Amino acid sequence: MSKPRVAVVFGGRNSEHAVSLMGAGSVLDAIDRSKYEVIPIGIAQDGRWVLAASDQRFAIESGELPVVDTSGAALALPSGGSSLVAYDPGSIPVELGAVDVVFPVMHGPFAEDGTIQGLLEMAGARYVGSGVLASAVGMDKAHMKTVMAAAGLPIGRHVVVRDRDWRLDRDRVLKEAEGLGWPVFVKPARAGSSQGISKAHDLGELEAAVEFARQHDPKVLIEAAIVGREIECAVLESLGDEPAVASRPGEVKVEGGQEFFDFEAKYYPDQMSLTVPADLPEETAEQLRAMAVRAFEALDCEGLARVDFFYTPEGHLIFNEINTMPGFTSLSVAPQLWAASGLDYPALVERLIQLALSRSAGLR
């Protein structure tokens, strides 16, 4: 019998292009080639789909971020079926055959935000991770907070700044933001990997911070600073009809002197530490795990997610955000949380593929 074919898709047209490649490199190393036929597919920064070149680089080398090598054969994903067709300039298209499951190791806009999920839905392809709605809401921090508040999760105070608000009613926005107290954190509403985030201590810094965030997204979130430890928990869908399960919580700390978790703290060596399990009262740890599962279910997530909280000195848990396709190198937080909970990286990748294979295409 032929082996199931897994297409690992990575890259994309956004500022998290390199983060996607780093995760995809780990996934490609972890997939059991005795069980699956693997097709690595890159989406270049200009939107081209290509078969990964044999010497595709997936890691940061000498401080240089990886990008999709476009020297491979160009691809098209026709609608109405889950077949990939390779197009080499000057040659007859080569049929690659049916793909059984797509593993989109992708982050940010035009990827993790429901975009690629919608494309795969239209193509009738099964895929790893959450569907269109959960992905889209999980990507948009403003709508995410609305859903989580409705689900009964405590959230921090914030102001949503849409493009029209900033252009036509800036004084009102600044007054509302000032009401949050100083300092505040300013971030793009639909970006990840700490791209475009800054901390503002006064109105002058706030205006500059909003303009910086708008380089990534015209929709911006201004959040009141929350004093507390950052505790993260991974959630995984169960095979069969059992409810989703949460990992042991872990605490992340910045080690490089930054005031918050910026891109360098997350992805460069020795800039961040993770302690699993987090030093929490047992009752608090169980409450946090239950809240993480509630967040997962509130969005109708599938596959996996990472849910982040603040734990205040007063002992309160406050929801920060959910990530429906978290950083996914073997050293990223979510895989490390599962490794500390008894599920190592290759087993985690296998579980996600099996979950995708068990799903039917279309509405569910």
Side-chain angles (χ1 to χ4, degrees), residues 15-357:
S15 57
E16 295 180 74
H17 183 93
V19 177
S20 169
L21 269 76
M22 289 185 271
S26 292
V27 171
L28 290 166
D29 286 342
I31 294 179
D32 185 348
R33 303 303 175 103
S34 69
K35 293 182 63 174
Y36 304 104
E37 182 181 353
V38 180
I39 306 169
I41 298 170
I43 302 178
Q45 290 172 313
D46 63 4
R48 281 180 290 170
W49 291 52
V50 296
L51 280 176
S54 58
D55 58 351
Q56 171 66 60
R57 180 169 61 88
F58 290 98
I60 297 175
E61 293 180 3
S62 302
E64 185 178 349
L65 297 173
V67 296
V68 168
D69 183 343
T70 57
S71 64
L75 294 173
L77 180 62
S79 60
S82 53
S83 294
L84 289 166
V85 180
Y87 292 97
D88 247 334
S91 68
I92 299 173
V94 180
E95 177 65 35
L96 292 179
V99 172
D100 295 286
V101 64
V102 177
F103 198 136
V105 190
M106 301 184 71
H107 312 290
F110 313 114
E112 182 189 352
D113 61 349
T115 307
I116 192 167
Q117 291 78 12
L119 183 150
L120 295 171
E121 292 280 359
M122 289 192 296
R126 292 176 289 187
Y127 55 92
V128 168
S130 291
V132 175
L133 179 64
S135 299
V137 176
M139 189 80 248
D140 188 313
K141 296 176 180 64
H143 289 302
M144 174 204 303
K145 289 178 184 291
T146 299
V147 172
M148 294 307 165
L153 294 172
I155 63 172
R157 295 182 303 129
H158 62 281
V159 173
V160 180
V161 186
R162 294 173 175 82
D163 178 58
R164 181 180 176 86
D165 300 330
W166 190 243
R167 289 187 294 104
L168 302 181
D169 203 2
R170 184 174 302 195
D171 288 343
R172 176 187 60 79
V173 170
L174 294 173
K175 184 176 181 179
E176 288 183 4
E178 193 171 18
L180 297 174
W182 304 108
V184 295
F185 285 94
V186 183
K187 58 185 68 173
R190 296 164 292 191
S193 298
S194 295
Q195 299 278 9
I197 297 181
S198 43
K199 188 176 183 179
H201 300 82
D202 54 43
L203 283 175
E205 289 185 359
L206 176 60
E207 288 203 63
V210 172
E211 292 294 352
F212 177 55
R214 280 168 55 83
Q215 294 176 23
H216 296 266
D217 186 352
K219 186 176 181 180
V220 171
L221 208 65
I222 303 173
E223 296 178 332
I226 296 173
V227 176
R229 297 154 57 194
E230 184 158 340
I231 312 294
E232 304 191 351
C233 187
V235 182
L236 189 61
E237 183 183 0
S238 295
L239 288 164
D241 295 325
E242 295 299 314
V245 294
S247 71
R248 304 175 84 179
E251 180 174 1
V252 292
K253 294 181 180 179
V254 175
E255 302 291 349
Q258 296 93 330
E259 287 191 275
F260 59 93
F261 290 103
D262 60 10
F263 183 88
E264 285 73 18
K266 288 185 174 181
Y267 296 106
Y268 282 82
D270 304 321
Q271 298 292 301
M272 182 189 80
S273 66
L274 173 67
T275 302
V276 188
D279 182 13
L280 298 170
E282 184 60 32
E283 181 180 343
T284 300
E286 288 306 307
Q287 179 189 5
L288 185 145
R289 295 175 75 237
M291 290 169 68
V293 171
R294 193 192 317 169
F296 187 88
E297 293 175 343
L299 284 193
D300 285 338
C301 290
E302 296 170 280
L304 77 163
R306 193 196 70 239
V307 189
D308 304 342
F309 296 88
F310 293 112
Y311 181 55
T312 71
E314 298 76 28
H316 301 305
L317 289 169
I318 300 175
F319 171 86
N320 181 23
E321 65 180 53
I322 186 170
N323 196 316
T324 58
M325 182 51 73
F328 211 70
T329 73
S330 59
L331 299 178
S332 296
V333 172
Q336 285 197 69
L337 291 173
W338 281 118
S341 304
L343 190 69
D344 64 20
Y345 190 79
L348 176 60
V349 170
E350 170 70 11
R351 168 79 75 88
L352 292 171
I353 292 173
Q354 287 298 316
L355 283 166
L357 286 171

